[in-house]
Amino acid sequence: MPKPKPARPLSDRERALLTYIRAFRVAHDYAPGMRQMAQHLDTSTSIINYHIKRLETRGLLRVPRDEYGAMLAHTVNLTDNAHALLNVRAQTEVAHA
């Protein structure tokens, strides 16, 4: 049986997306929409969709979907793993400051 591949680290854009979703949720009590995320990261909604799917696959986002499999607007949620990952990074940055 082959060994599982080690998890690759988050890209800067993936980390920025998670950080933005978390900050937006705290400020507004709901998740940002695809266009808001794209505008914040200065990219396209298709790139945001790609990153959301990758983060969902990695278990860092939960994305509710309708009966046809389409993502529901403003419902992206960070998992406990994502919060822990972002908190570890923030604590490391504070320690090095």
Side-chain angles (χ1 to χ4, degrees), residues 4-18 47 50-60 85 89:
K5 293 181 182 178
R8 66 169 178 74
L10 289 177
S11 70
D12 291 342
R13 187 162 286 195
E14 288 170 333
R15 186 173 302 283
L17 181 58
L18 288 174
I47 296 295
Y50 168 80
H51 285 298
I52 286 175
K53 285 180 181 179
R54 285 183 62 102
L55 291 167
E56 185 179 21
T57 300
R58 292 181 67 181
L60 298 174
L85 184 67
R89 173 73 180 228

Side-chain angles (χ1 to χ4, degrees), residues 2 5 16 19 31 40 43 52 65 76 82 97:
K5 293 181 182 178
T19 302
H40 179 77
T43 191
I52 286 175
R65 298 180 185 280
V76 176

